[in-house]
Amino acid sequence: MSEPTLSRRNVPAAALIHRRVPEGAGIVHLGLGNFHRAHQAVYTALAMEREPGPWGILGVASRSSTVADAMNAQDLLYSVVEISPDGSRVSVPGSHTGTLVAEQDPESVVRAIADPATKIVTITVTEHGYTVSPETGSLDLDSDVVRRDLGEVRTPRTTIGQIARGLALRASTHAAPVTILSCDNLLSNGRQTEGLVREFVGIFAPPLRDDLLSWMDSSVTFPNSMVDRIVPSGSDRYNEAALAHLGVRDTIAVPAEPFTMWVMEERFAAGRPAWEHGGALFTDDVEPYELMKVRLLNGTHSLIAYLGALDGRATIPESVAQPFVEDAARRILCDEYLPTVTVPESVDTDDYIRQLFSRWSNTALGHRTSQVGSDGSVKLAQRIPIPALEHLGRGTVPQYLSLTVAAYLCCIAPPPGFDPGPHARSMTDPARPRLAGMADNAASTTEFVRSVFVDGGLFPSTLASHTDFVSRIADFVDIIVRHGPAVAAGEASDPVPDLGTITSLRSSATI
């Protein structure tokens, strides 16, 4: 006899975070992925359990209907499986009121954002979903999908287009205030989102453009926020854990580490849930928390993933268990990222670093290197340029930032004849075809790296003028190809590399 499917009738009461059906949908969330379901949805359930209110979430999936269909079959419920070496804990948030799939019904997404009941629009679409030009940091007007959305009123496909068209409909009907809250790993994510939406609106014809921008000035806020929780991809393993704990079948259980953090500016135009009951922090200045997360955690995480994948390691815990990877991670964190960050006064830096390595070493969670390393073309644009330019401005070539870029290139666009291994090949990246073409056509490693900075669309082209930085990245690419990531990491530990040693380690100039 098969087990019953997860529903409000059969979920154990002790596991259900929010026991009542939400009073209404005050939040539209764009990006119905694992991270949202293990993070914002949990905070919202905890808030409504303590202070009931119309803060249910309408979850909008971008393209795939898999999660939305499964949630609809399970009373809009799913389980969160918190995993640590000490065991697991399973809970059911119960904070959603409905689902949409933007690819299938973009017009309904616009109407949902414009609905007067909607007080907050939250976003987790990853860095790639903001359609930003890496060269300018502005809206990518060369993108076909952005240009399409600028000419299409009712069925926008991009996140920025959906928000802009939803705000336009909102302003022209009831004009109630609303908050747009980015929860993605973008520096100053609120200000970036506002800038992109205003750019989009700024291309509208008057008087719509001027009327909408004026209304936004008084009625729409874009708080900055910082989110933090390691959430791997789901699998049957976690569905089985949910079944063992709950006694009911869940086909979309979400794994997550026990640690979770959410920091926001207190700028909400139409109210908010009492997220502080879930542990959220509110501050006037989110930037120190953002920089701490994006650089110390995310930047170091990327290096671990690329070195680990190149070393044949499937997971982050397996990677950081390798002495050369752990050493490289500590050095980039402490020597190259930390000097570019002002750590918030409330954070003990030593404790924070110890906690990071404990989280990365969570063998029970098994976060995959291929997942962490995916979409590096967008992620590294947030993590590499500014710290690199700070070090270069002081006359120092940052060895481990150089190694990160080199390891990324070896994973995503390996030189001809070099096999980066299955975990690197499993990484997804929108820039892979473009970068692979550059690698195939370059006459030398240095030419390849320079072309990445000049024409790759990943980093500001100003970095190409720092020839020592470009050359050092090329050195590491050659060393990885010829001798492997461990030797390259060992070379990075020498602050003044011996040119004779580099010459002997590098492959020939032609790739």
Side-chain angles (χ1 to χ4, degrees):
M1 182 176 179
S2 62
E3 299 83 4
T5 299
L6 179 62
S7 72
R8 285 191 176 271
R9 294 188 305 277
N10 58 29
V11 62
L16 192 60
I17 296 175
H18 180 53
R19 292 172 175 80
R20 296 173 294 278
V21 176
E23 296 175 11
I27 301 172
V28 172
H29 181 80
L30 306 179
L32 190 58
N34 277 9
F35 184 82
H36 159 69
R37 292 189 293 130
H39 192 272
Q40 298 91 29
V42 173
Y43 282 86
T44 302
L46 290 165
M48 289 191 292
E49 184 64 15
R50 290 286 297 273
E51 293 187 22
W55 297 114
I57 302 170
L58 173 63
V60 181
S62 298
R63 289 177 297 276
S64 172
S65 64
T66 301
V67 171
D69 290 345
M71 286 181 64
N72 289 329
Q74 296 180 176
D75 274 357
L76 297 168
L77 300 179
Y78 60 88
S79 51
V80 177
V81 184
E82 293 184 4
I83 300 174
S84 73
D86 297 328
S88 58
R89 172 180 174 270
V90 179
S91 61
V92 179
S95 51
H96 289 85
T97 60
T99 65
L100 289 171
V101 180
E103 182 85 2
Q104 298 175 1
D105 193 1
E107 191 170 354
S108 290
V109 178
V110 172
R111 289 199 300 267
I113 293 171
D115 192 312
T118 299
K119 312 297 183 186
I120 303 171
V121 178
T122 52
I123 313 166
T124 55
V125 293
T126 76
E127 298 92 331
H128 182 59
Y130 288 78
T131 52
V132 174
S133 165
E135 182 63 36
T136 65
S138 302
L139 192 65
D140 187 0
L141 297 177
D142 293 328
S143 165
D144 291 340
V145 69
V146 171
R147 289 199 302 268
R148 178 204 174 277
D149 277 6
L150 286 167
E152 175 54 60
V153 174
R154 297 175 60 185
T155 59
R157 301 289 179 177
T158 66
T159 299
I160 300 302
Q162 290 160 358
I163 294 169
R165 295 300 182 184
L167 291 179
L169 181 59
R170 192 178 184 95
S172 67
T173 51
H174 51 83
V178 68
T179 295
I180 311 297
L181 180 65
S182 170
C183 302
D184 282 303
N185 289 325
L186 301 171
L187 293 175
S188 300
N189 54 11
R191 284 195 292 276
Q192 280 209 52
T193 304
E194 179 175 12
L196 294 168
V197 172
R198 286 181 175 273
E199 275 190 80
F200 194 100
V201 171
I203 300 174
F204 292 175
L208 173 59
R209 176 193 63 202
D210 301 326
D211 291 345
L212 182 51
L213 289 173
S214 177
W215 173 74
M216 288 174 61
D217 289 340
S218 61
S219 301
V220 186
T221 56
F222 294 80
N224 289 325
S225 76
M226 185 279 282
V227 296
D228 189 3
R229 191 172 208 185
I230 294 175
V231 181
S233 301
S235 72
D236 288 341
R237 165 191 172 191
Y238 305 113
N239 296 338
E240 292 164 2
L243 174 62
H245 281 77
L246 302 177
V248 294
R249 183 164 51 88
D250 178 6
T251 62
I252 50 169
V254 182
E257 65 171 336
F259 179 91
T260 182
M261 190 175 189
W262 196 4
V263 183
M264 289 168 276
E265 287 181 324
E266 184 67 279
R267 294 197 302 119
F268 290 84
R272 63 168 178 81
W275 281 318
E276 59 270 21
H277 291 312
L281 304 176
F282 293 89
T283 177
D284 293 332
D285 186 8
V286 174
E287 184 175 273
Y289 294 92
E290 290 178 320
L291 291 176
M292 182 178 71
K293 163 76 184 318
V294 170
R295 295 181 188 171
L296 304 190
L297 189 157
N298 297 135
T300 307
H301 212 184
S302 291
L303 179 59
I304 294 170
Y306 297 129
L307 291 179
L310 292 167
D311 197 49
R313 310 298 168 178
T315 69
I316 295 297
E318 290 172 4
S319 301
V320 83
Q322 308 311 306
F324 84 91
V325 176
E326 180 184 358
D327 180 68
R330 290 190 183 279
R331 286 174 181 262
I332 194 173
L333 194 161
C334 296
D335 298 343
E336 296 186 3
Y337 278 127
L338 190 57
T340 72
V341 171
T342 301
V343 177
E345 292 183 2
S346 61
V347 176
D348 182 296
T349 303
D350 291 338
D351 284 346
Y352 182 76
I353 293 172
R354 279 193 292 271
Q355 192 175 48
L356 285 181
F357 278 90
S358 176
R359 294 167 65 189
W360 290 325
S361 301
N362 185 343
T363 54
L365 196 61
H367 205 184
R368 300 191 70 80
T369 52
S370 58
Q371 181 185 359
V372 177
S374 289
D375 292 332
S377 58
V378 185
K379 293 174 179 177
L380 295 187
Q382 298 286 323
R383 303 169 188 179
I384 296 292
I386 294 177
L389 287 169
E390 286 192 27
H391 288 286
L392 292 167
R394 292 194 289 266
T396 302
V397 177
Q399 300 297 302
Y400 291 93
L401 294 175
S402 303
L403 179 63
T404 302
V405 177
Y408 161 73
L409 293 175
C410 286
C411 285
I412 300 301
F418 174 66
D419 182 1
H423 309 301
R425 290 196 301 271
S426 296
M427 295 176 184
T428 60
D429 197 304
R432 184 189 286 273
R434 182 172 70 253
L435 297 180
M438 291 179 175
D440 290 342
N441 295 320
S444 69
T445 310
T446 301
E447 179 183 308
F448 168 50
V449 174
R450 184 177 294 110
S451 68
V452 169
F453 283 102
V454 174
D455 301 314
L458 277 67
F459 306 112
S461 58
T462 53
L463 278 170
S465 64
H466 294 275
T467 56
D468 289 347
F469 185 53
V470 171
S471 296
R472 194 59 175 142
I473 295 170
D475 290 338
F476 285 131
V477 169
D478 285 337
I479 295 169
I480 289 170
V481 168
R482 190 79 175 271
H483 300 281
V487 174
E491 277 298 301
S493 66
D494 185 353
V496 184
D498 179 83
L499 295 179
T501 302
I502 292 175
T503 301
S504 69
L505 287 171
R506 290 187 65 170
S507 64
S508 64
T510 302
I511 62 173

